[in-house]
Amino acid sequence: MLREDEHILLDAECSVYRRKWPFPQLGAGRAFLTESRLIWIRHWSLLPSDIRRAISIPDVLEVPLGRVRLLRRERWGFNSFLIRVAWDDTEYYLRLGLGPYPLLRRNPETSEEWFRRLQALREE
């Protein structure tokens, strides 16, 4: 999945959310940040594939950083943060933290680190 000249800069457990009518799409997996892409890979699921496709996000998301048009860190609840990422006509909310899966710890610190690094990479 990584290109020959790509290196992972950050990786974290990541829940992904997408607003979609009538039901939101959800997914749990792992996120990786390289110099040019944000990659999210779904954790294996017990749900049958038909149900998973109807209510969830694809198995892999690849976000080219050069096409990101919106990047925002937003508070979600008392002490939790999401990173809102939009590119082309797609928009997702990422909740980042440390595992083990499915426990998500250190969300504020992890989301701040990712947000700062994403901002810096977009400005390069």
Side-chain angles (χ1 to χ4, degrees):
M1 169 154 281
L2 288 179
R3 297 181 191 121
E4 192 172 307
D5 61 340
E6 255 184 331
H7 304 284
I8 295 172
L9 303 174
L10 295 173
D11 69 289
E13 290 295 321
C14 181
S15 300
V16 174
Y17 167 80
R18 182 176 186 197
R19 292 183 180 155
K20 188 175 179 185
W21 191 87
F23 302 107
Q25 293 179 312
L26 305 168
R30 191 134 187 108
F32 303 91
L33 182 63
T34 72
E35 299 90 354
S36 61
R37 297 186 295 162
L38 184 140
I39 303 164
W40 178 82
I41 302 171
R42 167 185 305 292
H43 283 305
W44 182 81
S45 174
L46 288 171
L47 290 174
S49 61
D50 292 344
I51 294 173
R52 194 172 66 238
R53 274 192 298 274
I55 65 169
S56 65
I57 292 166
D59 291 336
V60 176
L61 292 175
E62 291 184 63
V63 182
L65 297 181
R67 295 199 339 233
V68 170
R69 62 177 170 76
L70 173 73
L71 178 65
R72 201 176 285 152
R73 184 172 181 251
E74 299 179 359
R75 180 176 290 279
W76 184 64
F78 173 67
N79 194 28
S80 186
F81 292 89
L82 301 172
I83 295 180
R84 185 176 172 187
V85 181
W87 69 101
D88 300 336
D89 62 348
T90 308
E91 184 174 302
Y92 287 97
Y93 295 83
L94 296 92
R95 185 168 181 269
L96 298 148
L98 302 179
Y101 170 76
L103 182 62
L104 209 58
R105 298 176 293 114
R106 297 183 49 86
N107 165 260
E109 301 93 321
T110 306
S111 67
E112 179 63 27
E113 178 184 21
W114 276 69
F115 183 70
R116 277 187 276 123
R117 184 65 72 94
L118 282 162
Q119 279 185 316
L121 289 169
R122 284 185 62 214
E123 292 171 1
E124 289 181 1

